[in-house]
Amino acid sequence: MKHPPSVKYAWSFLSELIRKPSGDSITLCESTAIISHGTTGLVTWNAALYLAEWAMENPAGFAHRTVLELGSGAGLTGLAICKMCRPRAYVFSDCHSHVLEQLQGNVLLNGLSLEPNVAALAQHPEHDTADAESPRVMVARVDWDVVTVPQLAAFQPDIVIAADVLYCPETVLSLVGVLQKLSACQKDQRVPDAYVAFTIRNPETCQLFTTELGRAGIPWEEVPRHDQKLFPYEEHSEMAILKLML
C-alpha cells in the first residue's frame, strides 16, 4: 500500500494473467463436496484427467468415430475429447438425475449442442465429414444393471470409455455386466474398442475387476503410462488405463 507498483507494471501483469491460453479451454460447473446428493459424480476425479490427457495424446483413436462414455460424471473427459480429438459423435452417459442435469449444463456451457435422442444422433450425415466443426452430442441415462443390448447398440459406438468407476465391488460387477452387453454390439461387423481408466486406491478392487473380466471372457492389456503434464492433479496417486478386447 505504501509503495504500489506503477500503473504500467500493474497493467502488464494483469494482461499476462488474463491472456487466453494457446489451446482450447473447458469450463465446468462442479460440486464443492466430494459426495453430494448421494453421488460422487458431481466432481472431477484424477482418472478422468488422466484419461483426457491420454486421449489428447492419441487423437487419431477418436477422430471421426462415435464415442460412448460410461459414468461421465462432471464431463471433463468427454468435453476434452469433443474439443481436441474430433469425434464424429459423443454420448455422455450416467444414471443419477443430478449428474445428468449437471452434465447437460456443462455440455451447453462449452458451446456444444445437444441432440434430443438417439434417433437424432444418427441423423445429420453432414457431421460424418472430416470438416465438421463439432461432434453430435447427447446426454443419455444409462443404468448398467437394466440397460439392454439393443439400447446400447442404438448408440452405434466405435469406442467405449470410462474413468474412475471402480470404487466398490458392486460397481465393478455392474461395469463388467454392461461391458459384456457391449461385446454383443456390432457395428460394421466390429465390436467397439473399450478403455477403462482408474485410480489404484484399493488393489483388491482392481484385482476384482481383472478377475471378473477374465470370468466374462474379456481379454485386456494395460496401456503404456504417459506423463501427467497438462492437468493439476489434486494428489499423487497411481493410475492406469486398460484396453479391453470385447
Side-chain angles (χ1 to χ4, degrees):
M1 295 298 292
K2 288 183 178 181
H3 306 287
S6 68
V7 173
K8 181 180 179 180
Y9 179 92
W11 180 261
S12 298
F13 177 82
L14 291 173
S15 296
E16 184 69 24
L17 189 65
I18 65 175
R19 180 178 297 170
K20 185 177 181 179
S22 58
D24 210 335
S25 61
I26 295 173
T27 304
L28 285 181
C29 175
E30 291 190 341
S31 172
T32 56
I34 292 177
I35 299 176
S36 178
H37 298 286
T39 178
T40 59
L42 295 171
V43 296
T44 299
W45 295 86
N46 278 351
L49 304 175
Y50 191 69
L51 182 58
E53 219 163 35
W54 175 81
M56 287 185 283
E57 290 181 4
N58 299 274
F62 299 87
H64 318 306
R65 305 180 79 188
T66 297
V67 184
L68 169 62
E69 183 180 7
L70 302 172
S72 298
L76 182 138
T77 303
L79 291 169
I81 291 173
C82 286
K83 291 198 173 192
M84 304 300 294
C85 300
R86 299 180 64 83
R88 176 187 294 116
Y90 198 98
V91 180
F92 295 85
S93 76
D94 218 291
C95 184
H96 196 284
S97 59
H98 284 90
V99 175
L100 292 169
E101 182 180 350
Q102 180 177 267
L103 256 177
Q104 290 176 335
N106 282 338
V107 169
L108 297 174
L109 194 60
N110 285 273
L112 297 170
S113 300
L114 280 170
E115 302 292 350
N117 50 48
V118 176
L121 191 75
Q123 295 173 359
H124 310 306
E126 66 273 10
H127 277 81
D128 291 345
T129 68
D131 297 327
E133 291 185 3
S134 60
R136 291 167 288 149
V137 176
M138 75 171 292
V139 174
R141 185 181 188 277
V142 175
D143 185 327
W144 299 348
D145 293 323
V146 301
V147 69
T148 64
V149 171
Q151 288 172 330
L152 292 169
F155 297 126
Q156 301 183 41
D158 297 299
I159 182 169
V160 177
I161 63 172
D164 246 335
V165 292
L166 306 181
Y167 48 85
C168 70
E170 291 76 18
T171 59
V172 168
L173 298 176
S174 295
L175 176 61
V176 174
V178 77
L179 289 170
Q180 283 184 290
K181 296 172 188 176
L182 283 162
S183 67
C185 297
Q186 291 196 6
K187 181 179 179 182
D188 301 325
Q189 282 77 51
R190 290 188 56 193
V191 295
D193 297 327
Y195 296 88
V196 177
F198 53 92
T199 302
I200 304 175
R201 299 184 183 88
N202 184 345
E204 292 181 358
T205 303
C206 299
Q207 181 63 48
L208 175 64
F209 180 50
T210 55
T211 298
E212 290 300 320
L213 287 175
R215 288 178 178 171
I218 301 176
W220 57 273
E221 63 184 23
E222 187 169 351
V223 172
R225 299 182 183 277
H226 63 274
D227 293 333
Q228 300 166 220
K229 298 181 292 188
L230 185 60
F231 294 109
Y233 293 83
E234 291 186 2
E235 58 186 22
H236 176 74
S237 53
E238 186 179 357
M239 286 168 285
I241 300 174
L242 299 187
K243 178 180 180 180
L244 313 181
M245 282 64 83
L246 298 181

